[in-house]
Amino acid sequence: MSVKVMIPTPLRAYAGKRDSAEFSAATVGEALSGLTSQFAELRKHLYTEDGKLRAFVNVYLNDEDIRYLAKENTPTKDGDTISIIPSIAGGSFAR
Amino acid sequence: MSEVLEVGISAELAQKIREHGVETYPYECCGALLGRDLGLTENAVADKKSHSVSREVLSLFPLVNRRDDSPRNRFSVTADDVRDAEKTASAQGLEVIGWYHSHPDHPARPSDYDRDHAWPWYSYIIVSVHTGVPQDMTSWRLKDDRSGFLEEKIAPMKVSAAN
């Protein structure tokens, strides 16, 4: 089954300037794994060094935040679209 | 090849960012920079090997700081806010090219926390607000390897699009 991953503008430079890519995947995690295998330079901007999705990186399956589904184990079906949306955060000094 | 990063913004929009920082002081303000990324353009100055990566801010999308636990030194914009900013930009024929926020009573330099929560490509404008008075304004882009930020030049522009 084919799942489309939309690539956000800031990360397209690491994905051959593509705005989307399609992967055969049974779960959201498999699709993201396909994405970061094909475009290895993307990985560090999505995942921490210990392999967890960065806290400010939000992943949506169609319009649903995967945090409220089964996270990366959320099953996908043919024609689904995955979007990656950052939360923007920052601050002036450490607490 | 040396590379000069540059973001253009009108005095009027730069002033709006400063005013937002004053308005929310002593808390942090934040918002989206809407504009156009013009890509790599040949720099017409003497050094033909240098290039400018030019982009221009043409509108602002002020946002509410969602961090009510520590708003003096943290700001947070939800994914829904980001989607709203993208829709607003798209409706104006623009795109979200970056974000601005204030550093109340701290220098206009990105913190480690800023770095941990940034993506490359975006311009991050920071305005320092000391005792309620706006000071320096700087702009930064995250390095490809996430090791730190590169400062980009803020270039004054004469004209801004309708905001």
Side-chain angles (χ1 to χ4, degrees), chain B residues 29-80:
Chain B
C29 74
C30 55
L33 307 171
L34 315 187
R36 291 195 187 95
D37 181 61
L38 307 173
L40 198 66
T41 54
E42 193 80 24
N43 193 334
V45 295
D47 177 7
K48 289 184 180 174
K49 287 183 180 173
S50 78
H51 290 72
S52 280
V53 179
S54 293
R55 50 178 48 179
E56 50 193 24
V57 180
L58 297 170
S59 184
L60 301 176
F61 188 70
L63 288 158
V64 173
N65 184 355
R66 304 288 184 186
R67 283 292 291 259
D68 52 11
D69 57 331
S70 188
R72 284 178 71 103
N73 67 340
R74 289 287 181 265
F75 81 91
S76 177
V77 170
T78 65
D80 285 344

Coordinates of all heavy atoms in Angstrom, one line a residue, chain B residues 29-80:
Chain B
C29 N 7.4 37.5 23.3 CA 6.4 37.6 22.2 C 6.9 36.6 21.2 O 8.0 36.1 21.1 CB 6.3 39.0 21.6 SG 7.7 39.5 20.6
C30 N 6.0 36.2 20.2 CA 6.4 35.4 19.1 C 5.4 35.6 18.0 O 4.3 36.1 18.2 CB 6.4 33.9 19.5 SG 4.9 33.3 20.3
G31 N 5.9 35.2 16.8 CA 5.0 35.3 15.6 C 5.7 34.8 14.4 O 6.9 34.4 14.5
A32 N 5.0 34.7 13.3 CA 5.5 34.1 12.1 C 6.0 35.3 11.1 O 5.4 36.3 11.1 CB 4.5 33.3 11.4
L33 N 7.0 35.0 10.4 CA 7.5 35.9 9.3 C 7.0 35.3 8.0 O 7.3 34.2 7.6 CB 9.0 35.9 9.3 CG 9.8 36.2 10.6 CD1 11.3 35.9 10.4 CD2 9.5 37.6 11.0
L34 N 6.1 36.1 7.3 CA 5.6 35.7 6.0 C 6.3 36.4 4.9 O 6.5 37.6 5.0 CB 4.1 36.0 6.0 CG 3.2 35.6 7.2 CD1 1.7 35.8 6.8 CD2 3.4 34.2 7.6
G35 N 6.7 35.7 3.9 CA 7.4 36.4 2.9 C 7.8 35.5 1.7 O 7.0 34.5 1.5
R36 N 8.9 35.8 1.1 CA 9.3 35.0 -0.1 C 10.8 34.7 0.1 O 11.6 35.5 0.5 CB 9.1 35.8 -1.4 CG 7.7 36.1 -1.8 CD 7.6 36.5 -3.2 NE 6.2 36.9 -3.5 CZ 5.8 38.1 -3.4 NH1 6.6 39.1 -3.1 NH2 4.5 38.4 -3.6
D37 N 11.1 33.4 -0.2 CA 12.5 33.0 -0.3 C 12.9 33.1 -1.7 O 12.3 32.5 -2.6 CB 12.6 31.6 0.3 CG 14.1 31.2 0.2 OD1 14.9 31.8 0.9 OD2 14.4 30.2 -0.5
L38 N 13.9 33.9 -2.0 CA 14.3 34.2 -3.4 C 15.4 33.2 -3.8 O 15.9 33.3 -4.9 CB 14.8 35.6 -3.5 CG 13.7 36.7 -3.0 CD1 14.3 38.1 -3.0 CD2 12.5 36.6 -3.8
G39 N 15.9 32.4 -2.9 CA 16.9 31.4 -3.2 C 18.3 32.0 -3.3 O 18.5 33.1 -2.9
L40 N 19.1 31.2 -4.0 CA 20.5 31.7 -4.1 C 20.6 32.7 -5.3 O 20.2 32.4 -6.4 CB 21.3 30.4 -4.5 CG 22.8 30.5 -4.3 CD1 23.2 30.6 -2.8 CD2 23.5 29.2 -4.8
T41 N 21.1 33.9 -4.9 CA 21.2 34.9 -6.0 C 22.7 35.3 -6.1 O 23.3 35.5 -5.1 CB 20.3 36.1 -5.7 OG1 20.6 36.6 -4.4 CG2 18.9 35.7 -5.8
E42 N 23.1 35.5 -7.3 CA 24.5 36.0 -7.5 C 24.7 37.3 -6.8 O 23.9 38.2 -7.0 CB 24.8 36.1 -9.0 CG 26.3 36.2 -9.3 CD 27.0 34.9 -9.3 OE1 26.3 33.9 -9.5 OE2 28.2 34.9 -9.1
N43 N 25.8 37.4 -6.0 CA 26.0 38.7 -5.4 C 26.8 39.6 -6.3 O 27.9 39.2 -6.8 CB 26.8 38.4 -4.1 CG 26.9 39.6 -3.2 OD1 26.8 40.8 -3.7 ND2 27.0 39.4 -1.9
A44 N 26.3 40.7 -6.6 CA 26.9 41.6 -7.6 C 28.1 42.4 -7.1 O 28.7 43.2 -7.8 CB 25.9 42.6 -8.2
V45 N 28.5 42.1 -5.9 CA 29.7 42.9 -5.3 C 31.0 42.3 -5.8 O 31.0 41.3 -6.6 CB 29.7 42.9 -3.8 CG1 28.5 43.7 -3.3 CG2 29.7 41.5 -3.2
A46 N 32.1 42.9 -5.4 CA 33.4 42.6 -6.0 C 33.8 41.1 -6.0 O 34.2 40.5 -6.9 CB 34.5 43.4 -5.2
D47 N 33.5 40.4 -4.8 CA 33.9 39.0 -4.7 C 32.8 38.2 -5.5 O 31.8 37.9 -5.0 CB 33.9 38.6 -3.3 CG 34.2 37.1 -3.1 OD1 34.5 36.5 -4.1 OD2 34.2 36.7 -2.0
K48 N 33.2 37.7 -6.7 CA 32.2 37.0 -7.5 C 32.0 35.6 -6.9 O 31.1 34.9 -7.4 CB 32.7 36.9 -8.9 CG 32.6 38.3 -9.6 CD 33.0 38.2 -11.0 CE 32.8 39.6 -11.7 NZ 33.3 39.6 -13.0
K49 N 32.8 35.2 -6.0 CA 32.6 33.8 -5.4 C 31.6 33.8 -4.3 O 31.2 32.8 -3.8 CB 33.9 33.3 -4.9 CG 34.8 32.9 -6.1 CD 36.1 32.2 -5.5 CE 37.0 31.8 -6.7 NZ 38.3 31.4 -6.2
S50 N 31.2 35.0 -3.8 CA 30.3 35.1 -2.7 C 28.8 35.2 -3.3 O 28.6 35.7 -4.3 CB 30.6 36.2 -1.8 OG 30.1 37.4 -2.3
H51 N 27.9 34.6 -2.5 CA 26.5 34.7 -2.9 C 25.7 35.1 -1.8 O 26.0 35.0 -0.6 CB 26.1 33.2 -3.3 CG 26.6 32.7 -4.6 ND1 27.9 32.3 -4.7 CD2 26.1 32.5 -5.8 CE1 28.2 31.9 -5.9 NE2 27.1 32.0 -6.6
S52 N 24.5 35.7 -2.1 CA 23.6 36.0 -1.0 C 22.4 35.1 -1.1 O 21.9 34.8 -2.2 CB 23.0 37.4 -1.3 OG 23.9 38.4 -0.8
V53 N 22.0 34.6 0.0 CA 20.8 33.8 0.0 C 19.7 34.8 0.5 O 19.6 35.1 1.7 CB 20.9 32.6 1.0 CG1 19.6 31.8 1.0 CG2 22.0 31.7 0.6
S54 N 19.0 35.3 -0.5 CA 18.1 36.4 -0.1 C 16.7 36.0 0.1 O 16.1 35.1 -0.7 CB 18.1 37.4 -1.3 OG 19.3 38.1 -1.3
R55 N 16.0 36.6 1.0 CA 14.6 36.3 1.3 C 14.1 37.6 1.9 O 14.8 38.4 2.4 CB 14.4 35.2 2.2 CG 15.3 35.3 3.5 CD 15.0 34.2 4.4 NE 15.1 32.9 3.8 CZ 14.9 31.7 4.5 NH1 14.7 31.8 5.8 NH2 14.9 30.6 3.9
E56 N 12.8 37.8 1.7 CA 12.2 39.0 2.2 C 11.0 38.8 3.1 O 10.1 37.9 2.7 CB 11.9 40.0 1.1 CG 11.1 39.4 0.0 CD 11.1 40.3 -1.3 OE1 12.0 41.1 -1.5 OE2 10.2 40.1 -2.1
V57 N 10.9 39.5 4.2 CA 9.7 39.4 5.0 C 8.7 40.5 4.5 O 9.1 41.7 4.4 CB 10.0 39.7 6.5 CG1 8.8 39.7 7.4 CG2 11.1 38.8 7.0
L58 N 7.5 40.1 4.2 CA 6.5 41.0 3.6 C 5.3 41.2 4.5 O 4.5 42.1 4.3 CB 6.1 40.5 2.2 CG 7.2 40.5 1.2 CD1 6.8 39.8 -0.1 CD2 7.7 41.9 0.9
S59 N 5.2 40.4 5.5 CA 4.0 40.5 6.4 C 4.4 39.7 7.7 O 5.2 38.8 7.7 CB 2.8 39.8 5.7 OG 1.6 40.0 6.5
L60 N 3.6 40.1 8.8 CA 3.8 39.4 10.0 C 2.5 38.7 10.5 O 1.5 39.1 10.1 CB 4.3 40.3 11.1 CG 5.5 41.1 10.9 CD1 5.7 42.1 12.1 CD2 6.7 40.2 10.8
F61 N 2.7 37.6 11.2 CA 1.5 36.9 11.8 C 1.8 36.8 13.3 O 2.3 35.7 13.7 CB 1.4 35.6 11.0 CG 0.1 34.9 11.4 CD1 -1.2 35.3 10.9 CD2 0.1 33.7 12.1 CE1 -2.3 34.7 11.2 CE2 -1.1 33.0 12.4 CZ -2.3 33.5 12.0
P62 N 1.4 37.8 14.1 CA 1.7 37.7 15.5 C 0.9 36.5 16.1 O -0.2 36.3 15.7 CB 1.2 39.0 16.1 CG 1.1 39.9 14.9 CD 0.8 39.0 13.7
L63 N 1.5 35.9 17.1 CA 0.9 34.7 17.7 C 0.9 34.9 19.2 O 1.6 35.7 19.8 CB 1.7 33.4 17.3 CG 1.5 33.0 15.9 CD1 2.7 32.1 15.4 CD2 0.2 32.3 15.7
V64 N 0.1 34.1 19.8 CA 0.0 34.1 21.3 C 1.0 33.1 21.8 O 1.1 31.9 21.4 CB -1.4 33.7 21.8 CG1 -1.5 33.5 23.3 CG2 -2.4 34.7 21.3
N65 N 1.8 33.5 22.8 CA 2.7 32.6 23.5 C 1.9 31.6 24.3 O 1.2 32.0 25.2 CB 3.7 33.4 24.4 CG 4.8 32.5 25.0 OD1 4.7 31.3 24.9 ND2 5.7 33.1 25.7
R66 N 2.0 30.3 23.9 CA 1.2 29.3 24.6 C 1.8 28.8 25.9 O 1.2 28.0 26.6 CB 1.0 28.1 23.7 CG 0.4 28.4 22.3 CD -1.1 28.8 22.4 NE -1.7 29.0 21.1 CZ -2.9 29.4 20.9 NH1 -3.7 29.7 22.0 NH2 -3.4 29.6 19.7
R67 N 3.0 29.3 26.2 CA 3.7 28.8 27.4 C 3.2 29.7 28.6 O 3.8 30.8 28.8 CB 5.2 28.9 27.3 CG 5.8 27.8 26.5 CD 5.7 26.4 27.2 NE 6.6 26.3 28.3 CZ 7.8 25.7 28.3 NH1 8.2 25.2 27.3 NH2 8.5 25.7 29.4
D68 N 2.3 29.2 29.4 CA 1.9 30.0 30.5 C 2.6 29.6 31.8 O 2.4 30.2 32.8 CB 0.3 30.0 30.7 CG -0.2 28.5 30.8 OD1 0.7 27.6 30.9 OD2 -1.4 28.4 30.7
D69 N 3.4 28.6 31.7 CA 4.2 28.1 32.9 C 5.5 28.9 33.1 O 6.0 29.1 34.2 CB 4.5 26.6 32.8 CG 5.3 26.3 31.6 OD1 5.1 26.9 30.5 OD2 6.0 25.3 31.6
S70 N 6.0 29.4 31.9 CA 7.3 30.1 32.0 C 7.5 31.1 30.9 O 8.4 31.1 30.1 CB 8.4 29.0 31.9 OG 9.7 29.6 32.2
P71 N 6.5 32.0 30.8 CA 6.5 32.9 29.6 C 7.6 33.9 29.6 O 7.8 34.6 28.5 CB 5.1 33.6 29.7 CG 4.8 33.5 31.2 CD 5.4 32.3 31.7
R72 N 8.3 34.1 30.7 CA 9.4 35.1 30.7 C 10.6 34.6 29.9 O 11.4 35.4 29.4 CB 9.9 35.4 32.1 CG 8.9 36.3 32.9 CD 9.5 36.5 34.3 NE 10.7 37.3 34.3 CZ 10.7 38.6 34.6 NH1 9.6 39.2 35.0 NH2 11.8 39.3 34.6
N73 N 10.8 33.3 29.8 CA 12.0 32.8 29.1 C 11.7 31.7 28.2 O 12.6 31.0 27.7 CB 13.1 32.4 30.2 CG 12.6 31.2 31.0 OD1 11.5 30.9 31.0 ND2 13.6 30.5 31.5
R74 N 10.4 31.5 27.9 CA 10.1 30.5 26.9 C 8.9 30.9 26.0 O 8.0 31.7 26.5 CB 9.6 29.2 27.6 CG 10.7 28.4 28.4 CD 11.6 27.7 27.4 NE 12.6 27.0 28.0 CZ 13.9 27.5 28.3 NH1 14.2 28.7 27.9 NH2 14.8 26.7 28.9
F75 N 8.9 30.5 24.8 CA 7.7 30.7 24.0 C 7.4 29.4 23.3 O 8.3 28.6 23.1 CB 7.8 31.9 23.0 CG 8.6 31.5 21.7 CD1 7.9 31.0 20.6 CD2 10.0 31.6 21.7 CE1 8.6 30.7 19.5 CE2 10.6 31.3 20.5 CZ 9.9 30.8 19.4
S76 N 6.2 29.2 23.0 CA 5.7 28.0 22.3 C 4.6 28.3 21.4 O 3.7 29.1 21.7 CB 5.3 27.0 23.3 OG 4.9 25.8 22.7
V77 N 4.6 27.8 20.2 CA 3.6 28.0 19.2 C 3.2 26.6 18.8 O 4.0 25.8 18.4 CB 4.2 28.7 18.0 CG1 3.2 28.7 16.8 CG2 4.6 30.2 18.3
T78 N 1.9 26.3 18.9 CA 1.4 25.0 18.6 C 1.4 24.7 17.1 O 1.5 25.6 16.3 CB 0.0 24.8 19.1 OG1 -0.9 25.7 18.3 CG2 -0.2 25.1 20.6
A79 N 1.3 23.4 16.8 CA 1.2 23.0 15.4 C 0.0 23.6 14.7 O 0.1 23.9 13.5 CB 1.2 21.4 15.3
D80 N -1.1 23.8 15.5 CA -2.3 24.4 14.9 C -2.0 25.9 14.5 O -2.4 26.4 13.5 CB -3.5 24.4 15.8 CG -4.1 23.0 15.9 OD1 -3.8 22.2 15.0 OD2 -4.8 22.7 16.9

